[in-house]
Each structure stands twice: as C-alpha cells, then as structure tokens.
C-alpha cells in the first residue's frame, strides 16, 4: 500500500513539472480608411500564450493566405499587449488591386495568424531612403538602410552595383551585409523596392588601413616583423599581409599593430610589405631586405651527372624548391635543405646543355645570388657540347603536302688539329667546330654540286672531297670531280678528276705518302662487288690505280669504315647486304695485305660512326633503339670487341664522328646535338 502512494506522488509531481504549451491568439479586423495613401489595418490580441513574443503585426499580398515568409509585412516595435491595435499601412499597395490581409503574432515556437480579410486598394506611398548606418565600415559588417514605406518582400540592395545579402527587413529599415568582394573605397548604395529604384544620398566608405612603418628592415625566413599603422581590424577574411606577392602569417595585436612572419616561400631579395584590408591595399614606404645567402663550400669537386652535390652555407630557404642552384647555367634539382646544407642533383644531359665541363656553381635564394669562385668538374666520359647550327640540317617531306621535316643525316666531318670541319650533307654549306672553344663558325661554301654518298679525307692541313651522287638531278647521276679545301685560307680549289668509273659509297684514308680511295659502287658499271684501290698524290695532283692482295676477302657488299692507325688501316665492310654481317680487316698499305680480325658483333644498318682514340678503334652500334646510343671498341690484345661506357641521349645514326687528340666526338643524325667522348675519364 505504501509503495502505491509513493508511485502516485511521483506521477503527480512529473505531471506538474510538464507545462502545457499555450499558443498566442489573434484576430484580424476589417480594413478601414482606405485612400490613396494606404489603409488602416486592425487586429486584436486575445492571448499572449506562455512563450516569449518575438513579433506581431500584419501580412498582406495579392495572393490569398499570405505568410510572414512570403508576403509583405508590417511589424510593431513595441511590446505586445492584450487588446486591439491598428496600423496605417502605406507601402506595397497598388491601386485597384485586391489584397488579402492577416494579423499575426509570433513567439519562440510558432506563428499564429488571424482570419483573412480582403479589400481593394486605392494606392499607397512610394518607398523612401532617409539614410544609411554606418557611413564607414568593414566588409562583412551589417549596414542598415533607413527609410519609410519599404516593401518587405524581396528588396534588392546594391553597394557599388554589387548585390548585398539581406538579413532583416521591415517597413522602415533593411539590414544587409557589406559584400566581401566590394573593392571600391567609396560606393553608392541603391535599393530596388516595389519596382522603384532608389539611391541613398549618402555614400558608404570602406575603412582603409594605413601603413606607417615596420621593424626590422632586414631579416631571414621565419623572423618576426612588427608593422605599425592605423585602422587595422581583426578580420581574417579581409586582413592580409604580403611580402611582395607572397602571403605571410601574422598576429593581429591591436588596431595599429600587426606582427608578421617573413614567409618561407618569399623569393624576392628586396621587397615592399603590403597590408590588404577591406580589399584596400597599402604598401610600406620602405623596403624589407632578406638577409643574403652565405655559401662556404661544395662537395664533391668532381662529379658525374645524375649524382648529388652538397653545398654548405647559411640563410637557405626552408623550402627546398625555393633554393635555386645553377650548375654551368643548368638548374639543378634541389633534393633537401637544412639550416647549413643544401643538397642538389645534377640533371642528366638528355634535355640540358652545360656551359662547360668546368662549370660554375651559383646559388640563388630569394633573389640573393652567390657564385663560388671554384669550378665544379663534370667528369662524365660523354659530355654534350654546343649544338650544331640549324643551317646544317636537311629539309625533306614525306609527301608533297606534308609539313617539312628536318634532320642532320649524312654530314661529312674532317678533323684538322683541334678543329672539325662539318657539312656538305646534300648541301654546299660548310662549318668549323673549335673543340677547345666549343664554338661553331661558318666557312666558305663548297663550290661543286651538292651531293650525297660522297667521300673525303684529310691530308696535312687540307681536306680532299668529291665523287658521290648529284642531288640536283632526280636521276642522281654519279660524279667524279675532286676538290681541295685549304683550312688555313678557307678556300676551295678543284683538282684532277677521279680516274675510276663515276662512283658513290667510296671510302677514303690517308697515310704518310698519299690519299687512297677504296671500293665504291657504280650503277652504270654494275658488275658485282669487287675491291678497287685508287691512290691520289696531293703534291702531284695525280691519280693512279693500286693493286692489293684480296685473297682473304670473301664476297663483299660495300665498304663501311676505313680508319688509319699508325699507318695501318682498319677496314670494315658488309659481307652481304641482306645479312648485314660486318667483317673487319687490318690493311697494311705497304704489303697491301688484308689481315682478318674479329667480326663486329652487331647487325649494322648503315655506315656507322667511328673514331680512333689512344690507337683504339671505336665503332657506333647503330642498330636502333637504346643500343644505338652505344659504342664498341676493338681490343687488339685479345682480338675481341668490347662495350664502351656510353651516355648519348640522341639517335646519332647517319651522323658524324671524329677525333681530336685522344678525345672523340659524335653527334648530329636526327638532332643537332654534339657530344665529346673522353675514355680516359
């Protein structure tokens, strides 16, 4: 029995604690005093409910059952009381229109409407703007348009033609947010309301920051700089600090002090500091200077491309990519950075061109540039040199309407001392390449007909060149003219004609007493492939036919290589055109005997590039693909061909090769790249 009494008490207590919600009640009265200046709306509050009243008044529209969310409204500013109230409504009324009116009262939980009444309007008053508040402010602040007879349905406020967000509206005020994209300092305010376009007599002005001074004037990344000025406002969406164009982190202290941090990504050595607030930008009258980068040393001193270089110093940028290191004019890849070290890697020479093997090392941090006096030695066996001039290239088309294509194929190269003479590839242009200065210069044009598959040889300081096929004739007739080029006077002189049948694909070599031409091919005298040897005496300007012992030579297609080594001649030829077997001999010019050596281990598709370095023959593997970037050399001690380290990034098939001292050179072909090869590195 006792437990039941306790339970009943608890239920009564809980019921008493739950207050029943009572909504407010309101009635709409008839509209009276209808005239050209509006009408009087009437209503009566019969209950205030048991929640706080937020607003009360009237809503009306030309559509039945108007609501406070969609219709025009008139709100009272005083506290709601029981009893009758009325209002003279003069806005949003068009003559001869039927309007539907409801009184409303709104508390924290609901809106209660009175019954609907209707009337025919005789008109109302046009809206007016009497002022705006404030006249000066910040973006995202609230601005109030003050006036009379505003229509509360969809008013449009524009500041400098930028639409502002309306957050509150009544018959005598409209609250809007200053647009964040407002940039003009002083702006006109306009209101579109009830099909009327109004302009406020007062303008709105954005508060502009003032920049007076900053300390300190010099610093490095991460240092603090105090900015002194006026009108600063703690608005993260609006307030910004920049060093040049680089945004900086900062702390707002008060309306006249900001502490900014020198940004890590600043890459300008000397710059102004700017403050942007309310989209108004002001700059410092003085300049901020980055503390200059200091460099001490770099290691290693000798390096290969693709390897890393460590630079020691101070005042590096904390972001690795903001530290620019140039090796021989080439931008290195920055790998990492600490307070005292900067690590970079040297790009391979595929797409870059270093100024020299002995390259400068330059560090650029934020526009502060320092260059080491000591040079860095790039010690790759293969090193890319100055590109050949564009005039050396050949133009051709795959079809009559196709765009032009270019290559550097079939150029001839002759080395005299430290200078190479290159050109004559189906053209008359001739160029000199200085291996010591790494420069190109134009020479006198070849006076003979442009030709292909010609042959040439160096004898002393002169070059002899001729035969081949005439490219000015679509039948490509073969030629037998012979020319001398004097490297000392840059002149061409025609010499005695070649005495053999007009030929192309001849190969030439020179020894101490004469120049020699071997083999060759003639369509007009085609009778199979045979070995022929012709001697040219430059002193006598005479041709003679020579004999040679060819018993070691089987069937052959055409000669591909003739290279002189210590008065001996390495000769290589295709055994058959179809199999492309590349056989080699050492020819003794005195005994006229061919001594066979190991055959070249690769299939050959064209005349390969070759060079003599340290009395050793190097031959280009021109089979295509990655292998075509490689060279083999002949090891005479074991009669075998061996691979040579090669890092050429260009397809140099049909290109040029020559030697100057114990350094080789190869290039051209599909592009105008030229490489130095030093096997002693």
């Amino acid at each position: 029995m006792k437990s039941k009494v306790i339970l009943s008490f608890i239920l009564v207590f809980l019921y008493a604690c739950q207050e029943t919600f009572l909504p407010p009640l309101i009635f709409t009265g008839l509209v009276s005093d209808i005239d050209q200046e509006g009408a009087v709306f009437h209503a009566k509050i019969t209950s205030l409910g048991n929640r706080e009243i937020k607003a009360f008044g009237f809503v009306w529209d030309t559509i039945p059952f108007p609501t406070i969310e969609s219709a025009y409204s008139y709100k009272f500013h005083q506290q709601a009381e029981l009893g009758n109230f009325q209002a003279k409504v003069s806005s949003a009324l068009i003559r001869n229109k039927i309007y539907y009116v409801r009184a409303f009262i709104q508390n924290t939980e609901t809106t209660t409407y009175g019954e609907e009444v209707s009337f025919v309007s005789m008109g109302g008053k046009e809206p007016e703007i009497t002022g705006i508040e404030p006249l000066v402010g910040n973006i995202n602040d609230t601005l109030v348009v003050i006036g009379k007879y505003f229509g509360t349905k969809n008013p449009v406020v524009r500041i400098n033609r930028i639409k502002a967000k309306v957050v509150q509206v009544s018959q005598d005020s409209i609250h809007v947010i200053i647009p964040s994209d407002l940039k003009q300092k002083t702006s006109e305010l306009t209101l579109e309301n009830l099909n009327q376009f109004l302009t406020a007599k007062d303008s709105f002005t954005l508060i502009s920051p003032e920049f007076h001074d900053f300390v300190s004037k010099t610093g490095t990344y991460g240092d603090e700089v105090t900015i002194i000025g006026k009108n600063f406002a703690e608005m993260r969406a609006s307030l910004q600090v920049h060093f040049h164009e680089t945004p900086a982190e900062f702390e707002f202290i008060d309306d006249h002090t900001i502490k900014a941090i020198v940004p890590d990504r600043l890459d300008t050595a000397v710059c102004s500091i700017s403050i942007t607030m309310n989209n108004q930008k002001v700059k410092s009258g003085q300049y901020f200077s980055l503390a200059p980068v200091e460099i001490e040393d770099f290691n290693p001193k000798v390096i290969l491309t693709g390897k890393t270089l460590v630079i020691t110093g101070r005042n590096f940028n904390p972001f690795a990519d903001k530290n620019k290191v140039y090796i021989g004019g080439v931008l290195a890849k920055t790998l990492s950075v600490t307070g005292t070290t900067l690590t970079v890697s040297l790009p391979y020479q595929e797409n870059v061109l270093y100024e020299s093997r002995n390259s400068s090392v330059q560090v650029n941090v934020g526009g502060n540039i320092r260059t080491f006096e000591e040079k860095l030695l790039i010690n790759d066996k293969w090193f890319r040199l100055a590109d050949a001039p564009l005039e050396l290239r050949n133009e051709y088309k795959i079809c009559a309407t196709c765009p032009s294509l270019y290559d550097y194929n079939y150029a001839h190269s002759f080395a005299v001392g430290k200078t190479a003479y290159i050109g004559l590839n189906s053209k008359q242009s001739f160029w000199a390449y200085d291996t010591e200065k790494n420069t190109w210069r134009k020479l006198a044009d070849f006076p003979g007909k442009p030709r292909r598959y010609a042959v040439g040889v160096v004898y002393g300081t002169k070059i002899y060149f001729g035969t081949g096929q005439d490219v000015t004739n679509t039948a490509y007739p073969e030629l037998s003219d012979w020319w001398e080029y004097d490297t000392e006077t840059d002149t061409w002189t025609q010499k005695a004609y070649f005495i053999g049948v007009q030929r192309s694909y001849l190969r030439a070599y020179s020894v101490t007493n004469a120049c020699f031409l071997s083999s060759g091919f003639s369509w007009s005298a085609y009778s199979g492939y045979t070995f022929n040897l012709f001697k040219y005496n430059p002193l006598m300007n005479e041709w003679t036919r020579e004999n040679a012992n060819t018993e070691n030579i089987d069937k052959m297609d055409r000669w591909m290589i003739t290279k002189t080594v210590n008065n001996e001649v390495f000769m290589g030829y295709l055994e058959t055109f179809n199999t492309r077997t590349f056989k080699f001999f050492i020819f003794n010019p005195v005994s006229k005997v061919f001594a066979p050596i190991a055959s070249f281990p690769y299939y050959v598709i064209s005349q390969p590039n070759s060079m003599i370095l340290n009395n050793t023959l190097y031959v280009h593997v021109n089979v295509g693909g990655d292998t075509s970037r490689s060279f083999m050399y002949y090891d005479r001690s074991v009669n075998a061909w061996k691979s040579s380290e090669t890092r050429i990034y260009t397809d140099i098939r049909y290109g040029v090769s020559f030697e100057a001292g114990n350094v080789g050179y190869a290039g051209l072909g599909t592009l105008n790249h030229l490489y130095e090869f030093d096997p002693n590195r």
Side-chain angles (χ1 to χ4, degrees):
M1 183 67 181
K2 184 178 181 180
S3 62
K4 290 183 178 179
V5 172
I6 294 173
L7 178 60
S8 298
F9 176 78
I10 293 174
L11 292 174
V12 171
F13 178 78
L14 291 175
Y15 179 79
C17 291
Q18 293 179 347
E19 181 185 5
T20 302
F21 169 66
L22 298 176
L25 297 177
I26 195 167
F27 291 90
T28 309
L30 297 176
V31 178
S32 67
D33 302 309
I34 302 169
D35 58 25
Q36 295 178 348
E37 292 186 350
V40 177
F41 295 172
H42 298 268
K44 182 179 182 179
I45 299 174
T46 60
S47 174
L48 296 174
N50 58 354
R51 297 289 187 272
E52 180 186 356
I53 302 299
K54 292 173 56 180
F56 70 99
F58 300 95
V59 292
W60 69 97
D61 208 336
T62 57
I63 302 171
F65 303 106
T67 66
I68 196 169
E69 291 81 16
S70 62
Y72 298 105
S73 64
Y74 184 102
K75 295 181 181 179
F76 286 85
H77 299 299
Q78 68 265 30
Q79 185 175 352
E81 297 178 351
L82 295 175
N84 297 319
F85 65 92
Q86 67 182 38
K88 174 73 174 183
V89 175
S90 299
S91 63
L93 295 174
I94 300 175
R95 183 180 179 83
N96 296 328
K97 286 276 188 180
I98 298 175
Y99 284 90
Y100 301 89
V101 182
R102 292 201 293 178
F104 78 90
I105 186 167
Q106 187 179 51
N107 64 16
T108 56
E109 293 191 18
T110 188
T111 301
T112 302
Y113 294 92
E115 67 274 18
E116 180 180 275
V117 298
S118 63
F119 73 100
V120 177
S121 169
M122 294 182 64
K125 292 186 177 181
E126 295 182 353
E128 298 178 19
I129 298 177
T130 58
I132 60 174
E133 292 181 358
L135 295 176
V136 178
N138 301 306
I139 62 173
N140 297 323
D141 281 356
T142 298
L143 181 143
V144 182
V145 183
I146 304 169
K148 296 187 294 185
Y149 315 123
F150 293 151
T152 58
K153 185 179 179 181
N154 303 324
V156 177
V157 176
R158 288 186 169 85
I159 304 175
N160 190 35
R161 300 183 181 180
I162 301 173
K163 188 175 181 180
K165 181 182 178 181
V166 176
V167 293
Q168 183 180 328
V169 61
S170 68
Q171 63 274 7
D172 52 14
S173 64
I174 301 173
H175 293 65
V176 298
I177 303 299
I178 305 299
S180 60
D181 53 349
L182 181 63
K183 293 182 172 61
Q184 188 164 314
K185 181 177 176 61
T186 301
S187 301
E188 179 183 76
L189 184 143
T190 60
L191 170 64
E192 181 182 344
N193 189 243
L194 300 172
N195 297 320
Q196 301 293 317
F197 292 89
L198 311 173
T199 301
K201 62 179 178 16
D202 296 318
S203 299
F204 174 76
T205 301
L206 282 171
I207 297 173
S208 296
E210 295 180 14
F211 201 133
H212 295 165
D213 197 7
F214 67 91
V215 288
S216 63
K217 300 297 188 292
T218 301
T220 189
Y221 304 101
D223 284 357
E224 185 179 84
V225 175
T226 300
I227 299 171
I228 302 166
K230 187 179 178 182
N231 295 337
F232 301 156
E234 191 175 11
M235 302 180 298
R236 280 294 176 181
S238 171
L239 187 60
Q240 299 174 358
V241 178
H242 288 80
F243 285 66
H244 185 51
E245 300 296 332
T246 307
E249 294 183 0
F250 63 92
E251 179 184 2
F252 173 84
I253 304 301
D254 51 40
D255 63 352
H256 60 273
T257 309
I258 293 173
K259 292 187 179 294
I261 303 300
V262 179
D264 290 342
R265 290 201 169 274
L266 178 62
D267 55 6
T268 304
V270 179
C271 66
S272 60
I273 302 175
S274 65
I275 295 177
T276 302
M277 192 187 82
N278 291 328
N279 297 318
Q280 309 296 302
K281 186 175 183 179
V282 291
K283 290 185 178 181
S284 58
Q286 296 175 298
Y287 289 98
F288 173 80
S289 298
L290 273 175
V293 62
E294 298 178 12
I295 55 176
E296 296 172 356
D297 199 4
F298 65 83
N299 281 289
K301 308 299 183 184
V302 180
I303 198 169
L304 302 177
T305 55
K307 301 301 181 180
T308 58
L309 182 74
V310 179
I311 299 169
T312 55
R314 292 190 302 168
N315 295 337
F316 297 130
N317 191 297
F319 283 91
D321 64 331
K322 286 296 183 179
N323 301 279
K324 307 297 184 184
V325 177
Y326 294 88
I327 309 295
V330 172
L331 179 62
K333 181 180 180 181
T334 308
L335 302 177
S336 63
V337 63
T338 70
T340 57
T341 63
L342 184 61
T343 303
V344 301
S345 66
L346 272 67
Y348 289 113
Q349 301 176 77
E350 183 173 9
N351 298 310
V352 301
L353 186 62
Y354 292 94
E355 62 187 9
S356 170
R357 281 191 179 275
N358 292 299
S359 291
S360 61
V361 179
Q362 184 183 84
V363 181
N364 183 337
V365 180
N368 283 305
I369 300 173
R370 296 292 182 268
T371 303
F372 285 98
E373 293 184 4
E374 187 176 8
K375 300 290 187 179
L376 173 67
L377 174 60
I378 301 176
N379 210 36
D380 295 32
K381 289 183 182 295
W382 288 89
F383 185 79
R384 186 175 163 188
L385 303 168
D387 290 340
L390 295 179
E391 285 188 47
L392 272 173
R393 65 187 181 180
N394 284 314
E395 179 182 5
Y396 62 94
K397 293 187 177 183
I398 299 176
C399 64
T401 58
C402 294
S404 295
L405 300 174
Y406 299 92
D407 61 36
Y408 298 81
N409 293 345
Y410 300 110
H412 295 271
S413 60
F414 312 95
V416 179
K418 296 294 184 178
T419 302
Y421 298 84
I422 302 172
L424 311 178
N425 49 332
S426 301
K427 299 168 68 174
Q428 294 170 302
S429 61
F430 206 38
W431 289 77
Y433 172 74
D434 190 318
T435 62
E436 292 184 324
K437 297 179 181 179
N438 190 28
T439 57
W440 293 82
R441 61 185 172 90
K442 184 78 166 59
L443 302 173
D445 285 345
F446 173 59
K449 290 183 177 180
R451 61 198 66 202
R452 64 180 184 178
Y453 309 134
V455 68
V457 66
V458 173
Y459 188 84
T461 61
K462 296 180 180 179
I463 298 169
Y464 294 90
F465 177 77
T467 70
Q469 294 177 349
D470 182 1
V471 297
T472 64
N473 189 324
T474 55
Y476 300 115
E478 288 164 315
L479 304 167
S480 60
D481 53 340
W482 191 244
W483 297 81
E484 176 189 86
Y485 176 76
D486 190 328
T487 62
E488 295 178 344
T489 61
D490 186 26
T491 56
W492 289 92
T493 306
Q494 189 166 9
K495 295 296 181 178
Y497 276 72
F498 172 63
I499 62 173
V501 177
Q502 293 173 326
R503 298 194 177 201
S504 57
Y505 295 105
L506 283 161
R507 293 292 169 260
Y509 64 92
S510 64
V511 289
T512 55
N513 63 333
C515 306
F516 291 85
L517 271 59
S518 63
S519 190
F521 179 75
S522 170
W523 286 104
S524 61
Y526 183 80
S527 59
Y529 295 98
T530 58
F531 178 79
N532 297 287
L533 190 61
F534 300 90
K535 176 182 178 181
Y536 175 72
N537 187 328
L539 299 178
M540 302 299 295
N541 189 27
E542 291 180 346
W543 288 94
T544 57
R545 189 164 188 140
E546 296 281 304
N547 294 317
N549 184 351
T550 61
E551 62 182 18
N552 289 327
I553 301 179
D554 300 322
K555 179 182 179 183
M556 70 175 180
D557 188 317
R558 67 182 67 162
W559 289 102
M560 304 298 281
I561 289 177
T562 52
K563 280 287 188 178
T564 303
V565 181
N566 294 331
N567 231 28
E568 289 183 316
V569 183
F570 279 92
M571 288 187 169
Y573 71 88
L574 290 180
E575 185 177 22
T576 65
F577 186 79
N578 293 326
T579 64
R580 298 282 181 170
T581 303
F582 199 14
K583 289 198 169 184
F584 266 91
F585 294 85
I586 295 178
F587 178 65
N588 188 315
V590 178
S591 65
K592 307 291 177 56
V593 172
F594 287 88
I597 63 174
S599 296
F600 196 68
Y602 283 98
Y603 175 93
V604 177
I605 62 173
S606 68
Q607 174 189 349
N609 294 304
S610 60
M611 59 187 89
I612 300 292
L613 304 174
N614 300 318
N615 296 323
T616 301
L617 174 64
Y618 289 79
V619 177
H620 178 217
V621 181
N622 58 353
V623 297
D626 289 339
T627 309
S628 67
R629 312 298 202 260
S630 302
F631 274 76
M632 304 284 290
Y633 70 93
Y634 176 66
D635 188 338
R636 192 166 184 170
S637 65
V638 294
N639 187 31
W641 291 90
K642 297 181 179 180
S643 295
S644 171
E645 177 189 331
T646 309
R647 191 175 286 276
I648 294 180
Y649 298 97
T650 306
D651 186 351
I652 63 169
R653 286 177 294 173
Y654 314 105
V656 301
S657 57
F658 54 92
E659 56 278 321
N662 288 322
V663 178
Y665 299 84
L668 278 62
T670 56
L671 293 173
N672 64 337
H673 297 179
L674 182 66
Y675 290 85
E676 172 191 283
F677 174 52
D678 188 346
N680 299 312
R681 292 185 182 273

